[in-house]
Structures are given as C-alpha cells and as structure tokens.
Amino acid sequence: MRRREVFDSHFRLYYQALCYFAYHYLKEQEEAEDIVQEIFMKLLDGAECFDNEEHLKHYLYKAVRNSCLNHIKLTGIHSDILEGIQKNTSEDENNFFENVVRAEIYQEIMQAIQELPTECGRVFKLAYVDGFSNDEIATQLSISVNTVKAQKNKAKIQLREKLKGLYPILFLFL
C-alpha cells in the first residue's frame, strides 16, 4: 500500500478512540478533535517509521496525551489539573493506562456498531449515540415505532454477542 493509503486506514482506525482519549484530558470535544488532527498531520508530514502496529498505537496515544498536557499548560485552562498531574506522576501513568483502555473499549464498541446491518445500525446510532426517542426515529426514517423497537432489540442482541468478551473489562473500567 502507498503511504497515503496506510495513513488513511490508520486515521479511520484510531481517530475516534484518540478523540475520546483526548476528551478525558481536555473536557472539550472540539479541542480534543483538533489535537488528534494535529497529531495525524504531523504523522503524515513526518518521516517516522514504526516497527509494528503496537509501536504506532503507543506513539499515537503518547503524542495525544503530551499534546493535551501542553495545550492545558499553554492556555492556562484547568491549571489545577495540570498541577495534580505533575505532582503525582505514578497516578498519571495509571490514569493514562485507564484512559487508553477506555478508548480501546470505545473503539471496539463503535466498530461493532458499524458492523450491524444497515437499518439496524442506523436505528441503534440514532437511539443510543444521538439520543433520539423511538417516535423521533420513526418520523426521521419514515418507519413505524414498532419497527424502531424491533431494530433496537435486534441490535442489542447482536451487540451483546459481538461484545461478550468485553463484559469483564467493561465492569472494571466503565
């Protein structure tokens, strides 16, 4: 694959999880997305070579974390959070690990949702990601409320099966 194709595949694979990860530091969605986009732009412009996928993933999480901390420091926002992070490095490493795990779980869940059948996935996203009611979804998609309920139930069953291996981890970290 060409460099651009590799970049695009990594962007699609990690972008959402890294935004979720950055949000835990910044508490601002737009700032989190900006940080992640900047990291990917540096990756695209740079000449970094990675031994394997794990090396790349480690680089991305560390780069996002460091950029978030720099952003907090430069803007002066949440300076008490920054002071707490600087005072307690071992606690920061634990938070880093937990945030990475949460981001990875989030990525697994979003991937499972994307693998749902088209209509089932649309209904599920509208209900549980976007927060629409059954009536609103029915109106938006021009289907009956009973169809919405059936599609949501079908999605839950399929997701439960796809994500059953994550249940022990979910209880520990979420």
Side-chain angles (χ1 to χ4, degrees):
M1 276 202 268
R2 292 189 341 250
R3 180 173 167 81
R4 180 64 188 209
E5 290 170 341
V6 171
F7 173 83
D8 289 345
S9 70
H10 286 111
F11 183 84
R12 283 191 303 279
L13 182 62
Y14 295 116
Y15 179 77
Q16 282 185 318
L18 290 170
C19 287
Y20 179 83
F21 178 73
Y23 180 81
H24 281 285
Y25 286 97
L26 302 174
K27 306 298 185 218
E28 292 287 334
Q29 188 63 35
E30 287 183 21
E31 290 177 2
E33 290 173 2
D34 288 345
I35 294 279
V36 173
Q37 288 171 9
E38 287 174 21
I39 296 300
F40 274 106
M41 292 308 297
K42 288 178 186 174
L43 187 65
L44 183 62
D45 293 339
E48 289 90 0
C49 291
F50 300 98
D51 298 333
N52 55 43
E53 192 75 20
E54 286 300 313
H55 185 219
L56 170 66
K57 188 187 300 187
H58 180 74
Y59 167 81
L60 290 171
Y61 279 108
K62 282 287 194 179
V64 169
R65 175 184 164 257
N66 291 341
S67 291
C68 288
L69 295 177
N70 286 339
H71 178 77
I72 291 168
K73 187 175 183 179
L74 291 174
T75 59
I77 299 173
H78 309 301
S79 59
D80 55 328
I81 293 172
L82 182 61
E83 289 173 20
I85 288 170
Q86 289 172 337
K87 287 180 187 174
N88 214 337
T89 307
S90 64
E91 183 179 311
D92 180 46
E93 286 303 314
N94 288 336
N95 288 341
F96 174 75
F97 173 73
E98 286 180 18
N99 288 337
V100 168
V101 171
R102 282 189 178 106
E104 293 291 313
I105 291 169
Y106 176 79
Q107 181 180 10
E108 289 287 326
I109 292 169
M110 295 308 289
Q111 181 65 37
I113 291 170
Q114 288 177 346
E115 292 172 2
L116 290 171
T118 305
E119 284 304 309
C120 191
R122 282 180 58 197
V123 168
F124 188 85
K125 286 177 192 172
L126 288 170
Y128 296 105
V129 177
D130 299 331
F132 289 105
S133 70
N134 290 347
D135 291 332
E136 292 170 326
I137 296 168
T139 301
Q140 188 173 348
L141 298 179
S142 301
I143 57 177
S144 72
V145 173
N146 285 337
T147 302
V148 171
K149 290 178 184 178
Q151 291 288 356
K152 283 172 55 177
N153 193 42
K154 182 179 175 183
K156 286 180 194 177
I157 291 168
Q158 289 183 18
L159 288 174
R160 192 174 296 127
E161 182 62 28
K162 286 182 183 189
L163 298 172
K164 67 183 175 188
L166 288 179
Y167 287 152
I169 298 170
L170 289 172
F171 289 119
L172 291 173
F173 289 99
L174 301 176

